Amino acid sequence: MLVANEMAPQANKESVMETEKITNEKPADIEAIPMVDDADEATQHLERLRKQYSATWDSPDDPKDPYNWSSWKKISIGIVMGLGALVTLVTASVTAAALGDIARDLHLDPATAQISFSVYFLGLAFGPFPIAAISEMNGRRNIWIAANIWFILWNSLCPVGYSKGLMIAGRFLAALGASVGNTLAAPVMTDLFHEKDRGKSLAIAGLLPYLGPALGPIIGGLVSQLIAWPWLFYIVSIIDTVVLVIGILILRETYTPILLRRKAAAMARLDQATAVATPAGMNQWVFWQDFFARLRVNMLRPFRILFYRPVMQLVTLNMGLAFGIYTLMLSTFAQLWVERYGQSKLSSSLHYISISVGISLATQIGGRAMDWIYRRLRERHARTSGVGAGGKLPPGKPEYRVPYMLPGVLLMPAGLFWYGWSAQYHYHWIIVDIGAAVFTMGSFISRFPARPFPPHLTTNQSTQYSQALNAYILDEFREYGASAIAAVRILSQILGFAFPIFAPQLYETLDYGWGNSLLALVFVVLAFPVPGCLWLWGEKLRAMGRRRTEDTTSSS
């Protein structure tokens, strides 16, 4: 039923495979309406949309265009998407403080207990592929609703019967649905905001999710200490049910290709009810055969983007490493306070506030800083090249996000050293928390969830470094931002699953000081060259593989 709106305009019997052709770069005919005073350019853009979708906006100021929606409407949608991503993050970390109780009641050894915690990230690795594919075929809203219903079902089943198998399988399956929060939050903001406001839009969507790393463990410590740990899952399911109801009332479709296809269908006076039953005159067998063929093509898009685009491989490796280190720290943070500092589960969970402080600083201050840097670099390019004559700024480039990566690359290893050695020498708790906050802030600046993320326990991957890399990818893959985010996150979530498993052995062998130092050194070796490579050769890296992907797409 979700595909009716996309199928309706196909009454001309054009090949769906051609319409849904995979491309790794945003087609010229669906670029954002330029934020300049050039009326001719805007008119040409509208004409390109008409050729692509058999419909276009009535004018550059058409109120039906998501770019022109009111600020309160955009912010409301951003808050709803943020609430959905918040549930994702809370669920990821909610069992951290109660992991000992869960292991005891389910008779889990330490390694299996860590698997029950981190298997959630494995689900977050694979969930984005069908979600991104369907969102780019049929829009954002319907798949967001369906995925949340799926999450509520499986999350509620996790503690039933105190079954080890059901707990692990339920966490994995729940994560498949929960990944919709991280997968669609950034693309929806891209649907609503222009490039110049990219940082602000991600800050809106990231305001609530980044409270997840603190709220999850606090809820976990409170519930496991005062009630019983199964209520961790029931409370999260109740919260997501409320979010789902709010989303059904507030969310509107934001994806421009879908909106224009619907408009084309209305202009052609197609009966939507008939289109649902037999779209474009096709029988049911042809309809579903075509749907699954397009679904296969769209699900392969993230893999092809990742395989053929060297810039994606570079970004994915670094975001994956940052996120793996982040989840390792998250899974052992409560254990540090209970075992080393002798605190209760509830008291130990309060230290996760330091992680949320780092994330919030990176996203709210960092998002504005990233927009400021982006604008300044555009103005500088206009002055030096003379392209900006007449008050028109030249178009921005993803490389304008690179300077913002530098603080993250420096803060993340510095925070790891700070946190590790202060914990090993049993310094005052505030010293350890500051180190954790510095690490988290650096981590998310470099990655910015995608939201999730990221955080995407997007869970949002580590903060300042991730923030910049996510914005870089969204600038390059606009229409297919959801597929690009899915491609980036697969390695992130796999490492997020694997790293916590060896965390106990790491700290038992090297302790917190040398253990964190080893992680910091690995990050320094692999991540320090990235900003320089993207700044000097980013444009060439982005160009590599474009034609090959187009050729592969055509053949499929």
Side-chain angles (χ1 to χ4, degrees), residues 123-124 126-140 143-144 146-148 150 174-185 295 298-299 302 482-483 486:
L124 292 180
F126 295 100
F129 291 100
I131 289 173
I134 294 174
S135 76
E136 290 170 354
M137 290 166 57
N138 308 105
R140 321 293 197 192
I143 187 59
W144 185 89
N148 274 278
W150 175 275
L176 295 178
S179 63
V180 72
N182 297 321
T183 303
L184 295 187
L295 181 62
N298 281 270
M299 286 185 67
S483 287

PDB file of all heavy atoms in Angstrom, residues 123-124 126-140 143-144 146-148 150 174-185 295 298-299 302 482-483 486:
ATOM      1  N   GLY A 123      21.543  -4.827  14.574  1.00  0.00           N
ATOM      2  CA  GLY A 123      20.261  -4.533  13.928  1.00  0.00           C
ATOM      3  C   GLY A 123      20.246  -3.154  13.304  1.00  0.00           C
ATOM      4  O   GLY A 123      19.696  -2.951  12.209  1.00  0.00           O
ATOM      5  N   LEU A 124      20.874  -2.184  13.988  1.00  0.00           N
ATOM      6  CA  LEU A 124      20.955  -0.835  13.428  1.00  0.00           C
ATOM      7  C   LEU A 124      21.802  -0.797  12.161  1.00  0.00           C
ATOM      8  O   LEU A 124      21.671   0.126  11.349  1.00  0.00           O
ATOM      9  CB  LEU A 124      21.547   0.124  14.463  1.00  0.00           C
ATOM     10  CG  LEU A 124      20.701   0.431  15.701  1.00  0.00           C
ATOM     11  CD1 LEU A 124      21.441   1.391  16.616  1.00  0.00           C
ATOM     12  CD2 LEU A 124      19.345   0.996  15.323  1.00  0.00           C
ATOM     13  N   PHE A 126      21.770  -3.152   9.712  1.00  0.00           N
ATOM     14  CA  PHE A 126      21.065  -3.698   8.547  1.00  0.00           C
ATOM     15  C   PHE A 126      19.682  -3.087   8.332  1.00  0.00           C
ATOM     16  O   PHE A 126      19.162  -3.116   7.219  1.00  0.00           O
ATOM     17  CB  PHE A 126      20.949  -5.220   8.681  1.00  0.00           C
ATOM     18  CG  PHE A 126      22.276  -5.923   8.641  1.00  0.00           C
ATOM     19  CD1 PHE A 126      22.890  -6.347   9.804  1.00  0.00           C
ATOM     20  CD2 PHE A 126      22.939  -6.123   7.443  1.00  0.00           C
ATOM     21  CE1 PHE A 126      24.126  -6.982   9.780  1.00  0.00           C
ATOM     22  CE2 PHE A 126      24.171  -6.748   7.398  1.00  0.00           C
ATOM     23  CZ  PHE A 126      24.771  -7.181   8.574  1.00  0.00           C
ATOM     24  N   GLY A 127      19.086  -2.531   9.386  1.00  0.00           N
ATOM     25  CA  GLY A 127      17.775  -1.910   9.237  1.00  0.00           C
ATOM     26  C   GLY A 127      17.714  -0.784   8.227  1.00  0.00           C
ATOM     27  O   GLY A 127      16.728  -0.661   7.486  1.00  0.00           O
ATOM     28  N   PRO A 128      18.751   0.080   8.151  1.00  0.00           N
ATOM     29  CA  PRO A 128      18.665   1.206   7.224  1.00  0.00           C
ATOM     30  C   PRO A 128      18.532   0.827   5.753  1.00  0.00           C
ATOM     31  O   PRO A 128      18.051   1.646   4.962  1.00  0.00           O
ATOM     32  CB  PRO A 128      19.990   1.954   7.465  1.00  0.00           C
ATOM     33  CG  PRO A 128      20.342   1.640   8.880  1.00  0.00           C
ATOM     34  CD  PRO A 128      19.895   0.213   9.068  1.00  0.00           C
ATOM     35  N   PHE A 129      18.935  -0.381   5.359  1.00  0.00           N
ATOM     36  CA  PHE A 129      18.898  -0.713   3.934  1.00  0.00           C
ATOM     37  C   PHE A 129      17.467  -0.798   3.388  1.00  0.00           C
ATOM     38  O   PHE A 129      17.144  -0.111   2.418  1.00  0.00           O
ATOM     39  CB  PHE A 129      19.689  -1.989   3.672  1.00  0.00           C
ATOM     40  CG  PHE A 129      21.166  -1.802   3.858  1.00  0.00           C
ATOM     41  CD1 PHE A 129      21.796  -2.209   5.015  1.00  0.00           C
ATOM     42  CD2 PHE A 129      21.922  -1.169   2.892  1.00  0.00           C
ATOM     43  CE1 PHE A 129      23.148  -2.006   5.213  1.00  0.00           C
ATOM     44  CE2 PHE A 129      23.282  -0.958   3.069  1.00  0.00           C
ATOM     45  CZ  PHE A 129      23.895  -1.374   4.236  1.00  0.00           C
ATOM     46  N   PRO A 130      16.582  -1.606   3.968  1.00  0.00           N
ATOM     47  CA  PRO A 130      15.207  -1.569   3.464  1.00  0.00           C
ATOM     48  C   PRO A 130      14.517  -0.247   3.758  1.00  0.00           C
ATOM     49  O   PRO A 130      13.706   0.223   2.953  1.00  0.00           O
ATOM     50  CB  PRO A 130      14.527  -2.732   4.201  1.00  0.00           C
ATOM     51  CG  PRO A 130      15.363  -2.986   5.407  1.00  0.00           C
ATOM     52  CD  PRO A 130      16.766  -2.652   4.998  1.00  0.00           C
ATOM     53  N   ILE A 131      14.832   0.375   4.898  1.00  0.00           N
ATOM     54  CA  ILE A 131      14.166   1.634   5.252  1.00  0.00           C
ATOM     55  C   ILE A 131      14.554   2.733   4.271  1.00  0.00           C
ATOM     56  O   ILE A 131      13.697   3.470   3.764  1.00  0.00           O
ATOM     57  CB  ILE A 131      14.514   2.028   6.697  1.00  0.00           C
ATOM     58  CG1 ILE A 131      13.804   1.080   7.673  1.00  0.00           C
ATOM     59  CG2 ILE A 131      14.124   3.479   6.980  1.00  0.00           C
ATOM     60  CD1 ILE A 131      14.213   1.266   9.115  1.00  0.00           C
ATOM     61  N   ALA A 132      15.845   2.859   3.983  1.00  0.00           N
ATOM     62  CA  ALA A 132      16.288   3.877   3.028  1.00  0.00           C
ATOM     63  C   ALA A 132      15.719   3.616   1.641  1.00  0.00           C
ATOM     64  O   ALA A 132      15.279   4.543   0.946  1.00  0.00           O
ATOM     65  CB  ALA A 132      17.813   3.906   2.975  1.00  0.00           C
ATOM     66  N   ALA A 133      15.700   2.339   1.239  1.00  0.00           N
ATOM     67  CA  ALA A 133      15.187   2.005  -0.099  1.00  0.00           C
ATOM     68  C   ALA A 133      13.716   2.376  -0.231  1.00  0.00           C
ATOM     69  O   ALA A 133      13.307   3.013  -1.207  1.00  0.00           O
ATOM     70  CB  ALA A 133      15.390   0.509  -0.356  1.00  0.00           C
ATOM     71  N   ILE A 134      12.914   1.991   0.761  1.00  0.00           N
ATOM     72  CA  ILE A 134      11.476   2.262   0.684  1.00  0.00           C
ATOM     73  C   ILE A 134      11.214   3.758   0.803  1.00  0.00           C
ATOM     74  O   ILE A 134      10.315   4.295   0.137  1.00  0.00           O
ATOM     75  CB  ILE A 134      10.734   1.470   1.777  1.00  0.00           C
ATOM     76  CG1 ILE A 134      10.841  -0.033   1.489  1.00  0.00           C
ATOM     77  CG2 ILE A 134       9.265   1.881   1.845  1.00  0.00           C
ATOM     78  CD1 ILE A 134      10.263  -0.918   2.565  1.00  0.00           C
ATOM     79  N   SER A 135      12.003   4.459   1.632  1.00  0.00           N
ATOM     80  CA  SER A 135      11.785   5.902   1.783  1.00  0.00           C
ATOM     81  C   SER A 135      12.071   6.644   0.486  1.00  0.00           C
ATOM     82  O   SER A 135      11.437   7.669   0.203  1.00  0.00           O
ATOM     83  CB  SER A 135      12.663   6.458   2.908  1.00  0.00           C
ATOM     84  OG  SER A 135      14.004   6.590   2.510  1.00  0.00           O
ATOM     85  N   GLU A 136      13.006   6.159  -0.320  1.00  0.00           N
ATOM     86  CA  GLU A 136      13.317   6.805  -1.582  1.00  0.00           C
ATOM     87  C   GLU A 136      12.408   6.329  -2.715  1.00  0.00           C
ATOM     88  O   GLU A 136      12.345   6.964  -3.762  1.00  0.00           O
ATOM     89  CB  GLU A 136      14.791   6.571  -1.927  1.00  0.00           C
ATOM     90  CG  GLU A 136      15.723   7.348  -0.998  1.00  0.00           C
ATOM     91  CD  GLU A 136      17.184   6.966  -1.141  1.00  0.00           C
ATOM     92  OE1 GLU A 136      17.468   6.009  -1.888  1.00  0.00           O
ATOM     93  OE2 GLU A 136      18.029   7.605  -0.495  1.00  0.00           O
ATOM     94  N   MET A 137      11.683   5.236  -2.485  1.00  0.00           N
ATOM     95  CA  MET A 137      10.692   4.775  -3.447  1.00  0.00           C
ATOM     96  C   MET A 137       9.332   5.385  -3.176  1.00  0.00           C
ATOM     97  O   MET A 137       8.613   5.766  -4.108  1.00  0.00           O
ATOM     98  CB  MET A 137      10.565   3.242  -3.381  1.00  0.00           C
ATOM     99  CG  MET A 137      11.747   2.462  -3.910  1.00  0.00           C
ATOM    100  SD  MET A 137      11.653   0.727  -3.414  1.00  0.00           S
ATOM    101  CE  MET A 137      10.057   0.263  -4.072  1.00  0.00           C
ATOM    102  N   ASN A 138       8.965   5.481  -1.901  1.00  0.00           N
ATOM    103  CA  ASN A 138       7.593   5.819  -1.552  1.00  0.00           C
ATOM    104  C   ASN A 138       7.452   6.903  -0.493  1.00  0.00           C
ATOM    105  O   ASN A 138       6.358   7.113   0.024  1.00  0.00           O
ATOM    106  CB  ASN A 138       6.855   4.563  -1.064  1.00  0.00           C
ATOM    107  CG  ASN A 138       6.973   3.411  -2.034  1.00  0.00           C
ATOM    108  OD1 ASN A 138       7.707   2.467  -1.794  1.00  0.00           O
ATOM    109  ND2 ASN A 138       6.298   3.517  -3.161  1.00  0.00           N
ATOM    110  N   GLY A 139       8.546   7.547  -0.139  1.00  0.00           N
ATOM    111  CA  GLY A 139       8.432   8.647   0.794  1.00  0.00           C
ATOM    112  C   GLY A 139       8.832   8.276   2.210  1.00  0.00           C
ATOM    113  O   GLY A 139       9.016   7.103   2.557  1.00  0.00           O
ATOM    114  N   ARG A 140       8.936   9.292   3.054  1.00  0.00           N
ATOM    115  CA  ARG A 140       9.461   9.122   4.406  1.00  0.00           C
ATOM    116  C   ARG A 140       8.388   8.722   5.425  1.00  0.00           C
ATOM    117  O   ARG A 140       8.653   7.938   6.330  1.00  0.00           O
ATOM    118  CB  ARG A 140      10.105  10.433   4.889  1.00  0.00           C
ATOM    119  CG  ARG A 140      10.904  11.220   3.870  1.00  0.00           C
ATOM    120  CD  ARG A 140      12.158  10.539   3.427  1.00  0.00           C
ATOM    121  NE  ARG A 140      13.075  11.488   2.769  1.00  0.00           N
ATOM    122  CZ  ARG A 140      14.131  11.126   2.088  1.00  0.00           C
ATOM    123  NH1 ARG A 140      14.433   9.846   1.936  1.00  0.00           N
ATOM    124  NH2 ARG A 140      14.924  12.038   1.531  1.00  0.00           N
ATOM    125  N   ILE A 143       6.943   4.744   5.919  1.00  0.00           N
ATOM    126  CA  ILE A 143       7.920   3.789   6.426  1.00  0.00           C
ATOM    127  C   ILE A 143       8.312   4.146   7.857  1.00  0.00           C
ATOM    128  O   ILE A 143       8.616   3.261   8.669  1.00  0.00           O
ATOM    129  CB  ILE A 143       9.161   3.732   5.499  1.00  0.00           C
ATOM    130  CG1 ILE A 143      10.114   2.619   5.929  1.00  0.00           C
ATOM    131  CG2 ILE A 143       9.882   5.058   5.472  1.00  0.00           C
ATOM    132  CD1 ILE A 143       9.520   1.236   5.926  1.00  0.00           C
ATOM    133  N   TRP A 144       8.288   5.432   8.208  1.00  0.00           N
ATOM    134  CA  TRP A 144       8.569   5.829   9.598  1.00  0.00           C
ATOM    135  C   TRP A 144       7.518   5.248  10.534  1.00  0.00           C
ATOM    136  O   TRP A 144       7.844   4.723  11.596  1.00  0.00           O
ATOM    137  CB  TRP A 144       8.592   7.359   9.695  1.00  0.00           C
ATOM    138  CG  TRP A 144       8.994   7.883  11.045  1.00  0.00           C
ATOM    139  CD1 TRP A 144      10.255   8.149  11.486  1.00  0.00           C
ATOM    140  CD2 TRP A 144       8.122   8.205  12.135  1.00  0.00           C
ATOM    141  NE1 TRP A 144      10.236   8.609  12.780  1.00  0.00           N
ATOM    142  CE2 TRP A 144       8.944   8.652  13.210  1.00  0.00           C
ATOM    143  CE3 TRP A 144       6.747   8.151  12.320  1.00  0.00           C
ATOM    144  CZ2 TRP A 144       8.413   9.055  14.441  1.00  0.00           C
ATOM    145  CZ3 TRP A 144       6.215   8.549  13.550  1.00  0.00           C
ATOM    146  CH2 TRP A 144       7.052   8.994  14.584  1.00  0.00           C
ATOM    147  N   ALA A 146       5.485   2.594   9.950  1.00  0.00           N
ATOM    148  CA  ALA A 146       5.553   1.130   9.959  1.00  0.00           C
ATOM    149  C   ALA A 146       6.735   0.629  10.790  1.00  0.00           C
ATOM    150  O   ALA A 146       6.613  -0.338  11.557  1.00  0.00           O
ATOM    151  CB  ALA A 146       5.654   0.608   8.525  1.00  0.00           C
ATOM    152  N   ALA A 147       7.875   1.274  10.672  1.00  0.00           N
ATOM    153  CA  ALA A 147       9.064   0.840  11.408  1.00  0.00           C
ATOM    154  C   ALA A 147       8.880   1.027  12.913  1.00  0.00           C
ATOM    155  O   ALA A 147       9.350   0.202  13.708  1.00  0.00           O
ATOM    156  CB  ALA A 147      10.295   1.610  10.923  1.00  0.00           C
ATOM    157  N   ASN A 148       8.207   2.080  13.327  1.00  0.00           N
ATOM    158  CA  ASN A 148       7.968   2.289  14.752  1.00  0.00           C
ATOM    159  C   ASN A 148       7.029   1.237  15.324  1.00  0.00           C
ATOM    160  O   ASN A 148       7.207   0.786  16.464  1.00  0.00           O
ATOM    161  CB  ASN A 148       7.412   3.692  14.995  1.00  0.00           C
ATOM    162  CG  ASN A 148       8.498   4.739  15.130  1.00  0.00           C
ATOM    163  OD1 ASN A 148       9.092   4.912  16.185  1.00  0.00           O
ATOM    164  ND2 ASN A 148       8.780   5.432  14.035  1.00  0.00           N
ATOM    165  N   TRP A 150       6.803  -1.829  14.221  1.00  0.00           N
ATOM    166  CA  TRP A 150       7.663  -3.022  14.290  1.00  0.00           C
ATOM    167  C   TRP A 150       8.529  -2.989  15.547  1.00  0.00           C
ATOM    168  O   TRP A 150       8.662  -3.986  16.250  1.00  0.00           O
ATOM    169  CB  TRP A 150       8.515  -3.092  13.030  1.00  0.00           C
ATOM    170  CG  TRP A 150       9.537  -4.186  12.999  1.00  0.00           C
ATOM    171  CD1 TRP A 150      10.793  -4.144  13.521  1.00  0.00           C
ATOM    172  CD2 TRP A 150       9.396  -5.493  12.420  1.00  0.00           C
ATOM    173  NE1 TRP A 150      11.455  -5.331  13.300  1.00  0.00           N
ATOM    174  CE2 TRP A 150      10.618  -6.181  12.622  1.00  0.00           C
ATOM    175  CE3 TRP A 150       8.371  -6.136  11.736  1.00  0.00           C
ATOM    176  CZ2 TRP A 150      10.832  -7.474  12.172  1.00  0.00           C
ATOM    177  CZ3 TRP A 150       8.588  -7.427  11.277  1.00  0.00           C
ATOM    178  CH2 TRP A 150       9.796  -8.086  11.492  1.00  0.00           C
ATOM    179  N   ALA A 174      14.145  -5.556  17.128  1.00  0.00           N
ATOM    180  CA  ALA A 174      13.674  -4.228  17.532  1.00  0.00           C
ATOM    181  C   ALA A 174      14.554  -3.149  16.912  1.00  0.00           C
ATOM    182  O   ALA A 174      14.065  -2.091  16.485  1.00  0.00           O
ATOM    183  CB  ALA A 174      13.668  -4.106  19.052  1.00  0.00           C
ATOM    184  N   ALA A 175      15.844  -3.418  16.842  1.00  0.00           N
ATOM    185  CA  ALA A 175      16.774  -2.434  16.270  1.00  0.00           C
ATOM    186  C   ALA A 175      16.509  -2.209  14.784  1.00  0.00           C
ATOM    187  O   ALA A 175      16.750  -1.104  14.277  1.00  0.00           O
ATOM    188  CB  ALA A 175      18.212  -2.883  16.490  1.00  0.00           C
ATOM    189  N   LEU A 176      16.047  -3.241  14.080  1.00  0.00           N
ATOM    190  CA  LEU A 176      15.727  -3.055  12.666  1.00  0.00           C
ATOM    191  C   LEU A 176      14.697  -1.947  12.496  1.00  0.00           C
ATOM    192  O   LEU A 176      14.795  -1.114  11.583  1.00  0.00           O
ATOM    193  CB  LEU A 176      15.201  -4.364  12.062  1.00  0.00           C
ATOM    194  CG  LEU A 176      16.175  -5.544  11.995  1.00  0.00           C
ATOM    195  CD1 LEU A 176      15.470  -6.766  11.406  1.00  0.00           C
ATOM    196  CD2 LEU A 176      17.403  -5.186  11.158  1.00  0.00           C
ATOM    197  N   GLY A 177      13.682  -1.948  13.363  1.00  0.00           N
ATOM    198  CA  GLY A 177      12.674  -0.890  13.302  1.00  0.00           C
ATOM    199  C   GLY A 177      13.174   0.418  13.873  1.00  0.00           C
ATOM    200  O   GLY A 177      12.897   1.499  13.337  1.00  0.00           O
ATOM    201  N   ALA A 178      13.926   0.345  14.966  1.00  0.00           N
ATOM    202  CA  ALA A 178      14.421   1.564  15.614  1.00  0.00           C
ATOM    203  C   ALA A 178      15.366   2.350  14.714  1.00  0.00           C
ATOM    204  O   ALA A 178      15.504   3.568  14.864  1.00  0.00           O
ATOM    205  CB  ALA A 178      15.133   1.214  16.919  1.00  0.00           C
ATOM    206  N   SER A 179      16.012   1.675  13.767  1.00  0.00           N
ATOM    207  CA  SER A 179      16.974   2.360  12.901  1.00  0.00           C
ATOM    208  C   SER A 179      16.326   3.424  12.032  1.00  0.00           C
ATOM    209  O   SER A 179      17.027   4.262  11.456  1.00  0.00           O
ATOM    210  CB  SER A 179      17.699   1.339  12.012  1.00  0.00           C
ATOM    211  OG  SER A 179      16.797   0.680  11.153  1.00  0.00           O
ATOM    212  N   VAL A 180      14.992   3.418  11.947  1.00  0.00           N
ATOM    213  CA  VAL A 180      14.321   4.435  11.137  1.00  0.00           C
ATOM    214  C   VAL A 180      14.588   5.828  11.688  1.00  0.00           C
ATOM    215  O   VAL A 180      14.679   6.802  10.935  1.00  0.00           O
ATOM    216  CB  VAL A 180      12.800   4.165  11.064  1.00  0.00           C
ATOM    217  CG1 VAL A 180      12.105   4.479  12.392  1.00  0.00           C
ATOM    218  CG2 VAL A 180      12.156   4.971   9.941  1.00  0.00           C
ATOM    219  N   GLY A 181      14.741   5.942  13.007  1.00  0.00           N
ATOM    220  CA  GLY A 181      14.995   7.249  13.595  1.00  0.00           C
ATOM    221  C   GLY A 181      16.296   7.853  13.116  1.00  0.00           C
ATOM    222  O   GLY A 181      16.357   9.025  12.729  1.00  0.00           O
ATOM    223  N   ASN A 182      17.366   7.033  13.111  1.00  0.00           N
ATOM    224  CA  ASN A 182      18.660   7.524  12.680  1.00  0.00           C
ATOM    225  C   ASN A 182      18.776   7.627  11.170  1.00  0.00           C
ATOM    226  O   ASN A 182      19.501   8.464  10.645  1.00  0.00           O
ATOM    227  CB  ASN A 182      19.760   6.585  13.191  1.00  0.00           C
ATOM    228  CG  ASN A 182      19.809   6.567  14.702  1.00  0.00           C
ATOM    229  OD1 ASN A 182      19.652   7.587  15.336  1.00  0.00           O
ATOM    230  ND2 ASN A 182      20.019   5.406  15.275  1.00  0.00           N
ATOM    231  N   THR A 183      18.071   6.735  10.462  1.00  0.00           N
ATOM    232  CA  THR A 183      18.191   6.698   9.003  1.00  0.00           C
ATOM    233  C   THR A 183      17.499   7.887   8.345  1.00  0.00           C
ATOM    234  O   THR A 183      18.014   8.452   7.374  1.00  0.00           O
ATOM    235  CB  THR A 183      17.592   5.391   8.457  1.00  0.00           C
ATOM    236  OG1 THR A 183      18.243   4.279   9.075  1.00  0.00           O
ATOM    237  CG2 THR A 183      17.757   5.301   6.948  1.00  0.00           C
ATOM    238  N   LEU A 184      16.350   8.290   8.862  1.00  0.00           N
ATOM    239  CA  LEU A 184      15.543   9.299   8.177  1.00  0.00           C
ATOM    240  C   LEU A 184      15.631  10.698   8.776  1.00  0.00           C
ATOM    241  O   LEU A 184      15.207  11.663   8.134  1.00  0.00           O
ATOM    242  CB  LEU A 184      14.067   8.862   8.143  1.00  0.00           C
ATOM    243  CG  LEU A 184      13.762   7.607   7.333  1.00  0.00           C
ATOM    244  CD1 LEU A 184      12.252   7.400   7.244  1.00  0.00           C
ATOM    245  CD2 LEU A 184      14.359   7.680   5.940  1.00  0.00           C
ATOM    246  N   ALA A 185      16.160  10.834   9.990  1.00  0.00           N
ATOM    247  CA  ALA A 185      16.173  12.162  10.615  1.00  0.00           C
ATOM    248  C   ALA A 185      16.935  13.169   9.757  1.00  0.00           C
ATOM    249  O   ALA A 185      16.427  14.252   9.426  1.00  0.00           O
ATOM    250  CB  ALA A 185      16.767  12.080  12.013  1.00  0.00           C
ATOM    251  N   LEU A 295      12.501  -2.529  -5.290  1.00  0.00           N
ATOM    252  CA  LEU A 295      13.035  -2.607  -3.933  1.00  0.00           C
ATOM    253  C   LEU A 295      14.450  -3.179  -3.947  1.00  0.00           C
ATOM    254  O   LEU A 295      15.341  -2.692  -3.239  1.00  0.00           O
ATOM    255  CB  LEU A 295      12.124  -3.477  -3.060  1.00  0.00           C
ATOM    256  CG  LEU A 295      12.553  -3.632  -1.598  1.00  0.00           C
ATOM    257  CD1 LEU A 295      12.565  -2.287  -0.891  1.00  0.00           C
ATOM    258  CD2 LEU A 295      11.638  -4.608  -0.866  1.00  0.00           C
ATOM    259  N   ASN A 298      16.808  -0.492  -5.178  1.00  0.00           N
ATOM    260  CA  ASN A 298      17.035   0.553  -4.186  1.00  0.00           C
ATOM    261  C   ASN A 298      17.828   0.046  -2.992  1.00  0.00           C
ATOM    262  O   ASN A 298      18.600   0.804  -2.393  1.00  0.00           O
ATOM    263  CB  ASN A 298      15.697   1.136  -3.723  1.00  0.00           C
ATOM    264  CG  ASN A 298      15.122   2.135  -4.716  1.00  0.00           C
ATOM    265  OD1 ASN A 298      15.382   3.324  -4.641  1.00  0.00           O
ATOM    266  ND2 ASN A 298      14.363   1.632  -5.677  1.00  0.00           N
ATOM    267  N   MET A 299      17.664  -1.224  -2.628  1.00  0.00           N
ATOM    268  CA  MET A 299      18.425  -1.764  -1.505  1.00  0.00           C
ATOM    269  C   MET A 299      19.890  -1.979  -1.864  1.00  0.00           C
ATOM    270  O   MET A 299      20.758  -1.959  -0.991  1.00  0.00           O
ATOM    271  CB  MET A 299      17.802  -3.080  -1.019  1.00  0.00           C
ATOM    272  CG  MET A 299      16.514  -2.884  -0.247  1.00  0.00           C
ATOM    273  SD  MET A 299      15.866  -4.423   0.455  1.00  0.00           S
ATOM    274  CE  MET A 299      17.122  -4.792   1.682  1.00  0.00           C
ATOM    275  N   PRO A 302      22.890   1.533  -1.586  1.00  0.00           N
ATOM    276  CA  PRO A 302      23.929   1.855  -0.590  1.00  0.00           C
ATOM    277  C   PRO A 302      25.213   1.061  -0.784  1.00  0.00           C
ATOM    278  O   PRO A 302      26.314   1.600  -0.617  1.00  0.00           O
ATOM    279  CB  PRO A 302      23.251   1.505   0.744  1.00  0.00           C
ATOM    280  CG  PRO A 302      21.786   1.609   0.470  1.00  0.00           C
ATOM    281  CD  PRO A 302      21.628   1.148  -0.938  1.00  0.00           C
ATOM    282  N   ALA A 482      19.449   9.201   2.237  1.00  0.00           N
ATOM    283  CA  ALA A 482      19.120   8.058   3.095  1.00  0.00           C
ATOM    284  C   ALA A 482      19.980   6.846   2.738  1.00  0.00           C
ATOM    285  O   ALA A 482      20.463   6.129   3.622  1.00  0.00           O
ATOM    286  CB  ALA A 482      17.632   7.708   2.967  1.00  0.00           C
ATOM    287  N   SER A 483      20.196   6.609   1.442  1.00  0.00           N
ATOM    288  CA  SER A 483      21.039   5.494   1.033  1.00  0.00           C
ATOM    289  C   SER A 483      22.491   5.726   1.428  1.00  0.00           C
ATOM    290  O   SER A 483      23.191   4.797   1.851  1.00  0.00           O
ATOM    291  CB  SER A 483      20.951   5.294  -0.493  1.00  0.00           C
ATOM    292  OG  SER A 483      19.705   4.742  -0.855  1.00  0.00           O
ATOM    293  N   ALA A 486      22.825   5.102   5.070  1.00  0.00           N
ATOM    294  CA  ALA A 486      22.795   3.653   5.320  1.00  0.00           C
ATOM    295  C   ALA A 486      24.140   3.023   5.003  1.00  0.00           C
ATOM    296  O   ALA A 486      24.630   2.161   5.738  1.00  0.00           O
ATOM    297  CB  ALA A 486      21.687   3.004   4.483  1.00  0.00           C
TER     298      ALA A 486
END
